[in-house]
Amino acid sequence: MPKTAIFPGSFSPFTKGHENIVKRALLLFDHLIIAIGENSLKEETSTENIQAIKDLYANDHRITVMAYKGLTADLIKKQNATCIIRGIRNETDLAYEQEIAKVNYTFFGIETIFLLASPALKEVSSSIVRELKKYGKDVSNYLPESH
């Protein structure tokens, strides 16, 4: 049976850092679902952004891109996935993600695998890219080629 993991996030925008986590997660799993969820604390992910991620991976049968609402734990069960993948850039990310991972394991029995950001990409943040873009700055160095 193929092993499936879910890489959840708002991905607004989807950066080279996210792309790197996807590539590395595929070394561990047969199938990866990039799950674009609503995050009430962040700007809404646009339909165009979702389509751009789908286009980026259109030719890779190992990747599914989908939008979802609700708890990631419910999506994991619905998709018969084995765990959650999360990228960690720094200590702040780790502290935040550890709390979520603890809840997912304690309440739902779901494992989380942390992948450390590649050193060259650890400063890439969707929030920073979004802010730079808002003020007309060139952010192409932070985005995958198809964006």
Side-chain angles (χ1 to χ4, degrees):
M1 181 164 93
K3 297 232 182 213
T4 299
I6 291 188
F7 181 30
S10 56
F11 304 115
S12 184
F14 190 83
T15 67
K16 285 184 178 180
H18 296 129
E19 181 182 44
N20 180 263
I21 295 296
V22 167
K23 185 183 299 183
R24 292 166 49 213
L26 286 172
L27 297 173
L28 304 171
F29 294 90
D30 302 313
H31 182 231
L32 184 68
I33 298 171
I34 301 171
I36 304 144
E38 283 188 1
N39 183 334
S40 59
L41 302 176
K42 294 185 180 180
E43 192 174 300
E44 186 177 322
T45 301
S46 70
T47 305
E48 294 82 24
N49 188 47
I50 294 169
Q51 189 58 52
I53 299 168
K54 286 182 177 183
D55 291 346
L56 183 64
Y57 294 108
N59 296 322
D60 193 331
H61 69 279
R62 302 170 301 163
I63 298 171
T64 301
V65 178
M66 63 186 303
Y68 77 103
K69 292 181 181 183
L71 292 175
T72 302
D74 291 338
L75 182 67
I76 293 276
K77 301 289 186 189
K78 184 177 180 181
Q79 296 295 323
N80 295 316
T82 55
C83 71
I84 296 170
I85 299 290
R86 297 301 293 157
I88 302 294
R89 292 172 296 152
N90 53 41
E91 295 82 12
T92 304
D93 281 357
L94 180 59
Y96 176 75
E97 294 296 344
Q98 277 181 314
E99 290 301 311
I100 296 170
K102 185 169 85 176
V103 168
N104 282 326
Y105 185 76
T106 302
F107 284 92
F108 307 106
I110 297 169
E111 294 285 355
T112 300
I113 294 179
F114 298 131
L115 295 177
L116 297 178
S118 294
L121 299 170
K122 74 179 226 162
E123 301 305 320
V124 178
S125 148
S126 288
S127 300
I128 291 171
V129 172
R130 199 170 46 247
E131 189 72 9
L132 290 170
K133 192 174 180 180
K134 176 180 172 182
Y135 290 100
K137 302 302 179 191
D138 179 15
V139 294
S140 58
N141 285 338
Y142 299 112
L143 304 175
E145 294 301 316
S146 73
H147 279 71

